[in-house]
Amino acid sequence: MKDLLGIEQLSVAQIEAILDTARPMKNLFTRSIKKVPVLRGKTVALLFFEPSTRTRSSFELAAKRLSADTLSFSASTSSVTKGESLLDTAKTYEAMKVDFMVIRHSASGAADLVAKSVKARVINAGDGSHEHPTQGLLDLFTILDKKKRIDGLHVVILGDILHSRVARSNLWGLTKLGARVTLCGPATLIPPGVQEVFGKNVRVCYKIEEALEGADIINVLRLQRERMDGAFFPTIQEYTEFYGLTSERLRLAKPDCLVLHPGPMNRGIEISSDVADGPRSLILEQVTNGIAVRMAVLHLFGGSQGLTAHPRESAKVAEILTE
Amino acid sequence: MKKIFSQTEVRAAIAKMAEKILRTVEEPRDRWALIGIHSRGVPLAKRLAAALREKGSPEIPVGSMDITFYRDDMGEARLNPVVQDTDIPFDLSGRTIFLVDDVLYTGRTIRCALDELMDFGRPDRVRLAALVDRGRRELPIQPDVVGETLLADADQRVEVHLEEVDGEDAVWIADKRGSGKE
């Protein structure tokens, strides 16, 4: 597989290969020298057509810890403001012989479009409301790290599902690995037909009290006010009243339920500060894990064959083959 | 696949390696450490440590190392290898480190291991111990301690099997082409 465009296209074995590789990557963080030479001489272009702080910094640091060179680009200071198209920008970077293009764009399918027209590996860092695969993978890694399994867990995705590429990537990843997912939010923010796509392991619930019952994980999504051009709910205050995650509501979930949020947070809107900063919150852990997962992705897609995967039990054979 | 060394021969080779380490390495034994290179170097290092203990050495710390992130041929790799942890639970400075691997071939794995080791610290000395030296080096790297020596062709694969990983102690040789898609 040449490009990482979404979790939808990944097999279970490929997802596991990434998660398995992220573990030793994370262990590198405890060394005094956190950098390894595996991508020495490779160049990673970070093409961010939409604002981002954590994803971009995370990819940049991931690339640097693998000894790759990085090239940054941001739409506001580039030729895009002079009307250059997405493909022309991508082809310009291709002509500069970059090995990876990490792309963030407001249009769904942007990374896919670029991937089809360049030889460089394309990593989708978020395209519109379609997918944000590395966020989905880091969420899986964070859950696996704490709960030691994904299979059979009850995960609630809370909030603005409609506009959320994080929700889509989570849905693909969680259902492929056998979790049960409850989507909870106002009816206007839950895409119609979602159950037909993801099947019986996904249910929709409009009442937060019902949704949280028995939850192992709550993934709170950011209210994406910048993508809302209509009235999806009366007021922010009302949204918070009905769907904000507070420590009181957290008590409805399992006693060992943990809380994720992809950031950036609207404190006091979709999540209260005492939950965000509380002992059940994995929000900062997600940031650390994000680097490890992105390192794993860059490393695994960096080989001549791109991402290949093998079932865990044949790991030994694989090791012999690559001798 | 043809078995070239039996269980008895493999175990004798390990005993011989332990003896050679004791006989030829002069540095103080309480400053030794073994680091096995994944996968089979790790159980091999543990066996060597046990053999050295039996021969009266003080407890020797054993670490493990996965050199995947230090390889220079990832572009050619056909499969993404499963990466194991590097675990070096002791300070390298002031120590004599024995890098332990099952098969010594091109020397490239050892070069990677040396690079990784140097990122961890500054050992006093680094020695190399391999169960089988199959020849055909591509880098100027030679072992200090060897169990068995042979000259295998470039299109042959030499596989060490160890009980801990494979359920048997043996060394096999196979033609790369004849072994199918394995």
Side-chain angles (χ1 to χ4, degrees):
Chain A
M1 182 178 277
K2 174 172 106 57
D3 311 289
L4 178 60
L5 302 174
I7 298 186
E8 180 180 359
Q9 294 92 333
L10 296 180
S11 67
V12 171
Q14 285 171 325
I15 294 172
E16 285 176 346
I18 295 169
L19 301 179
D20 285 352
T21 306
R23 161 76 29 218
M25 289 295 186
K26 190 179 177 185
N27 290 340
L28 294 178
F29 302 171
T30 61
R31 299 189 188 177
S32 59
I33 295 177
K34 295 174 179 60
K35 195 167 174 154
V36 292
V38 75
L39 287 188
R40 203 159 53 101
K42 304 273 186 198
T43 307
V44 179
L46 305 163
L47 310 181
F48 280 68
F49 294 85
E50 257 193 344
S52 154
T53 43
R54 77 194 62 216
T55 303
R56 184 179 167 149
S57 306
S58 182
F59 266 112
E60 185 169 350
L61 198 52
K64 286 183 168 158
R65 286 194 178 160
L66 299 174
S67 303
D69 297 307
T70 57
L71 255 180
S72 268
F73 156 100
S74 61
S76 58
T77 58
S78 74
S79 293
V80 169
T81 56
K82 301 175 190 161
E84 190 174 57
S85 76
L86 169 64
L87 276 185
D88 282 337
T89 305
K91 284 182 175 158
T92 302
Y93 278 89
E94 174 96 326
M96 294 179 190
K97 310 293 176 202
V98 304
D99 300 284
F100 286 92
M101 293 187 197
V102 176
I103 297 177
R104 156 77 55 102
H105 199 281
S106 60
S108 299
D112 189 33
L113 183 71
V114 172
K116 287 194 175 99
S117 54
V118 299
K119 286 197 195 74
R121 309 272 189 242
V122 173
I123 309 293
N124 182 4
D127 61 330
S129 52
H130 172 233
E131 277 224 44
H132 187 357
T134 57
Q135 179 71 45
L137 289 163
L138 82 87
D139 289 344
L140 291 175
F141 181 81
T142 305
I143 296 170
L144 195 61
D145 194 32
K146 293 292 172 189
K147 297 284 186 190
K148 307 299 168 209
R149 67 188 174 113
I150 302 281
D151 190 37
L153 288 183
H154 177 207
V155 181
V156 176
I157 303 178
L158 176 64
D160 179 1
I161 317 287
L162 183 67
H163 299 97
S164 176
R165 52 198 175 207
V166 176
R168 271 166 201 74
S169 290
N170 260 271
L171 272 164
W172 284 116
L174 288 165
T175 51
K176 281 176 193 226
L177 297 188
R180 283 183 302 123
V181 182
T182 300
L183 302 175
C184 179
T188 48
L189 289 179
I190 294 187
V194 68
Q195 264 172 312
E196 282 93 274
V197 177
F198 293 98
K200 62 174 171 37
N201 278 333
V202 174
R203 70 174 180 138
V204 174
C205 194
Y206 302 110
K207 278 211 171 103
I208 188 169
E209 289 78 10
E210 258 172 54
L212 295 188
E213 208 186 305
D216 295 291
I217 298 286
I218 307 168
N219 198 347
V220 187
L221 301 175
R222 183 173 65 90
L223 205 54
Q224 301 196 40
R225 284 176 286 176
E226 77 277 14
R227 289 188 216 280
M228 294 182 187
D229 41 17
F232 289 93
F233 45 85
T235 62
I236 300 276
Q237 287 79 359
E238 199 163 291
Y239 178 87
T240 304
E241 194 177 312
F242 281 97
Y243 295 104
L245 186 65
T246 58
S247 49
E248 214 165 65
R249 283 181 169 147
L250 187 54
R251 271 183 226 118
L252 301 169
K254 280 195 187 159
D256 59 351
C257 176
L258 298 169
V259 178
L260 279 72
H261 189 301
M265 285 183 276
N266 297 303
R267 278 176 185 265
I269 297 178
E270 72 263 2
I271 188 166
S272 69
S273 274
D274 58 342
V275 174
D277 304 328
R280 312 271 205 87
S281 166
L282 297 177
I283 296 171
L284 292 176
E285 190 82 10
Q286 285 173 276
V287 176
T288 307
N289 292 343
I291 301 167
V293 166
R294 292 181 176 113
M295 286 169 78
V297 165
L298 290 172
H299 167 63
L300 292 173
F301 278 87
S304 61
Q305 303 294 308
L307 178 68
T308 54
H310 35 74
R312 284 178 180 176
E313 54 272 23
S314 67
K316 253 167 25 193
V317 179
E319 193 265 332
I320 293 163
L321 275 173
T322 52
E323 175 196 4
Chain B
M1 287 250 286
K2 200 177 102 195
K3 195 187 271 195
I4 47 174
F5 297 119
S6 67
Q7 175 182 302
T8 324
E9 286 163 317
V10 168
R11 293 185 180 174
I14 295 172
K16 186 175 121 192
M17 289 168 76
E19 239 159 65
K20 177 123 193 259
I21 290 172
L22 284 172
R23 214 171 47 240
T24 55
V25 181
E26 289 157 14
E27 292 87 41
R29 289 181 193 182
D30 58 344
R31 314 298 297 275
W32 289 2
L34 304 180
I35 295 178
I37 299 172
H38 274 293
S39 294
R40 293 180 186 54
V42 178
L44 188 59
K46 287 181 184 152
R47 290 230 208 147
L48 273 176
L52 289 166
R53 214 164 36 235
E54 267 174 36
K55 293 176 195 297
S57 262
E59 186 75 31
I60 298 169
V62 180
S64 62
M65 190 178 261
D66 186 303
I67 52 96
T68 308
F69 299 146
Y70 284 77
R71 292 174 72 109
D72 58 3
D73 61 346
M74 281 311 291
E76 283 81 55
R78 282 168 296 169
L79 276 176
N80 301 136
V82 172
V83 185
Q84 312 289 324
D85 272 334
T86 289
D87 181 25
I88 302 178
F90 43 82
D91 189 2
L92 295 179
S93 60
R95 285 189 189 275
T96 296
I97 304 296
F98 288 91
L99 281 176
V100 181
D101 204 0
D102 56 347
V103 180
L104 180 60
Y105 179 18
T106 60
R108 290 182 192 272
T109 299
I110 305 304
R111 185 202 64 83
C112 299
L114 286 170
D115 282 351
E116 183 160 13
L117 200 61
M118 297 310 156
D119 277 356
F120 264 89
R122 192 175 184 285
D124 271 8
R125 295 164 203 86
V126 183
R127 309 283 184 210
L128 175 58
L131 183 63
V132 179
D133 178 356
R134 57 161 292 181
R136 304 203 181 274
R137 215 81 71 237
E138 292 170 4
L139 295 177
I141 284 171
Q142 304 305 338
D144 299 286
V145 175
V146 173
E148 295 282 358
T149 306
L150 59 114
L151 188 63
D153 287 341
D155 60 359
Q156 288 180 310
R157 194 166 62 228
V158 176
E159 277 181 27
V160 167
H161 287 188
L162 291 174
E163 212 166 77
E164 297 86 332
V165 186
D166 311 281
E168 62 159 359
D169 286 345
V171 180
W172 295 79
I173 192 162
D175 288 338
K176 271 186 185 165
R177 226 185 300 151
S179 59
K181 63 184 178 77
E182 184 190 8

